[in-house]
Amino acid sequence: ARKRLKPLRTVVAWRGRAEWDQVMVGLYCGDSRLQQDALDRVSAWKSRYGPKMPLAVDCTAELIRCKVLDSSGRLKSHELILSYGLALVRFVNLITERKQKMVSIPLRQLAREVDIPIWVVDLRHELTHGKLPRLALCRKGCDVVLDWLRKMYWSRQLGNNLCEESEDENDEEEQEEVEANAELDSDAWE
């Protein structure tokens, strides 16, 4: 009989599946107090994980941070546009950057390949090269991108959690899956 090899373990910044799930729910819950708690946890992860932090987690946190600042009423409209703008530009650049090979490929084409709406790329272009857009458009862009991240990254992390099996039997397997999926970056989002 063949001996079953144990998969290699990956060291991650979060304590376990429960903490991962709690942060994901906190980020997307809509309650700014819970979102801030989730953002604080992501900041702790980032301090432990550094540049190995999954791009999707980092981008989600930056966009949620904008929404929390927006709901606080502490920033002026112009400051919010700049805050949303930076997070949106960073998202488009980071997500499409890994698809750029030696040859320059237009961002619109890359966005189509990963199902990012073209108007989000156009919004990024305006933020980078043109006149600043209206705050309402930045808010809408943030919502669309957060929805994209939820579908293309966060929901995939939960995908294996949907089957009904005993928690005791699956805890170790689920943790291994979270650790393996934590490595998911824009290359895997294709």
Side-chain angles (χ1 to χ4, degrees):
R2 293 172 91 181
K3 211 177 193 183
R4 184 175 173 203
L5 295 176
K6 276 194 142 191
L8 294 176
R9 291 204 175 253
T10 304
V11 176
V12 294
W14 39 93
R15 289 188 179 129
R17 179 68 183 231
E19 184 179 59
W20 175 267
D21 291 348
Q22 182 180 17
V23 167
M24 183 206 55
V25 169
L27 288 171
Y28 281 94
C29 73
D31 178 325
S32 59
R33 185 182 56 77
L34 294 175
Q35 286 176 318
Q36 187 58 57
D37 290 344
L39 289 172
D40 292 343
R41 180 61 37 205
V42 170
S43 291
W45 292 354
K46 199 169 181 177
S47 71
R48 293 181 201 143
Y49 222 34
K52 292 182 357 181
M53 177 70 96
L55 293 177
V57 174
D58 206 17
C59 288
T60 303
E62 289 307 314
L63 290 160
I64 294 295
R65 192 175 324 296
C66 292
K67 291 180 77 66
V68 169
L69 284 169
D70 195 349
S71 68
S72 75
R74 293 185 304 216
L75 296 181
K76 296 176 183 171
S77 178
H78 184 73
E79 295 168 321
L80 286 170
I81 291 169
L82 294 174
S83 182
Y84 278 117
L86 178 60
L88 289 166
V89 166
R90 192 163 181 265
F91 165 78
V92 172
N93 289 350
L94 288 173
I95 298 310
T96 58
E97 175 182 88
R98 298 228 176 158
K99 290 191 65 77
Q100 290 279 10
K101 307 296 180 207
M102 299 296 255
V103 179
S104 182
I105 302 170
L107 281 180
R108 296 175 117 232
Q109 180 182 337
L110 294 172
R112 257 187 238 106
E113 290 178 18
V114 293
D115 292 327
I116 296 172
I118 297 303
W119 71 266
V120 172
V121 175
D122 293 341
L123 177 60
R124 176 242 173 239
H125 184 80
E126 282 302 307
L127 286 159
T128 307
H129 304 291
K131 187 176 130 189
L132 290 178
R134 295 182 338 269
L135 178 56
L137 189 57
C138 291
R139 286 175 174 147
K140 183 178 179 185
C142 179
D143 290 340
V144 166
V145 167
L146 282 170
D147 188 53
W148 186 90
L149 285 162
R150 184 183 50 76
K151 288 176 186 168
M152 300 304 288
Y153 180 76
W154 293 98
S155 292
R156 290 182 180 185
Q157 305 306 309
L158 294 176
N160 295 322
N161 208 20
L162 299 176
C163 57
E164 293 181 24
E165 291 182 34
S166 165
E167 277 188 34
D168 294 335
E169 295 171 358
N170 272 343
D171 280 349
E172 189 173 312
E173 281 181 26
E174 286 177 358
Q175 180 58 31
E176 289 170 0
E177 288 167 11
V178 168
E179 291 166 356
N181 288 336
E183 306 263 335
L184 184 65
D185 60 18
S186 58
D187 288 326
W189 296 352
E190 297 172 29

